[in-house]
Structures are given as structure tokens and as C-alpha cells.
């Protein structure tokens, strides 16, 4: 990520923040993020049961609404693949 993207992300996420603890910030689910990854693996650590391997932000998708974003069901279908 570039410095410019990090600055934008920080500002945007602060706009969407609804609560914060020492370890977590909760945001309104409005910003769509396109994420690339190299693979999936089963995981007991995450509620969805899978982890994205080498995940990275490609871009923020202002052209898509949160309703158009993929769901955990899509990710699980990829894992079953």
C-alpha cells in the first residue's frame, strides 16, 4: 500500500467507525475492498472457518455497494472448490 492509500484508508475508516477497544475498531459495513489472496486454508481461529493466505488489498471499490460484495458463503465455496 502506498502512503497515499494508507492516509485515505485511515481517514475513511475513522468516518465509518462506530466503536473502538484497545484491540478492535468496528466500522459501519459500507466500504467494499477488493482483496487478492494466494490460497485458502481451514482455520479454527476465525468464525468463518477459513483463512486467506497472503491476503492483500488491491483497491477500494467505490463503484460497488456492500450489498454487492462477496459473502463468507462465496469464500467457503472456493474452499470446497
Amino acid at each position: 500500500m502506498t502512503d497515499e492509500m494508507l492516509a485515505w484508508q485511515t481517514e475513511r475508516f475513522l468516518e465509518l467507525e462506530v466503536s473502538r477497544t484497545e484491540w478492535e475498531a468496528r466500522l459501519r459495513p459500507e466500504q467494499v475492498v477488493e482483496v487478492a489472496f494466494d490460497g485458502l486454508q481451514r482455520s479454527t481461529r476465525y468464525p468463518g472457518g477459513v483463512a486467506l493466505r497472503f491476503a492483500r488489498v488491491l483497491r477500494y471499490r467505490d463503484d460497488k455497494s456492500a450489498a454487492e460484495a462477496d459473502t463468507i458463503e462465496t469464500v467457503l465455496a472456493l474452499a470446497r472448490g
Side-chain angles (χ1 to χ4, degrees):
M1 296 180 84
T2 65
D3 288 344
E4 182 179 313
M5 184 184 278
L6 286 172
W8 177 88
Q9 175 181 282
T10 299
E11 183 177 328
R12 176 68 173 144
F13 287 4
L14 286 171
E15 291 171 5
L16 297 174
E17 185 178 270
V18 294
S19 67
R20 176 185 292 260
T21 69
E22 183 180 358
W23 302 104
E24 174 183 82
R26 292 192 177 240
L27 311 178
R28 291 189 313 276
E30 298 172 14
Q31 184 65 56
V32 177
V33 181
E34 185 173 341
V35 176
F37 56 92
D38 291 341
L40 296 167
Q41 72 180 43
R42 299 222 178 274
S43 174
T44 58
R45 171 174 253 167
Y46 300 106
V50 294
L52 304 179
R53 302 270 300 148
F54 303 103
R56 58 211 173 273
V57 172
L58 290 182
R59 62 184 168 148
Y60 291 96
R61 298 293 302 266
D62 292 328
D63 61 317
K64 292 193 175 276
S65 70
E68 296 173 282
D70 285 334
T71 63
I72 186 63
E73 287 78 19
T74 303
V75 176
L76 293 172
L78 289 171
R80 289 189 295 271

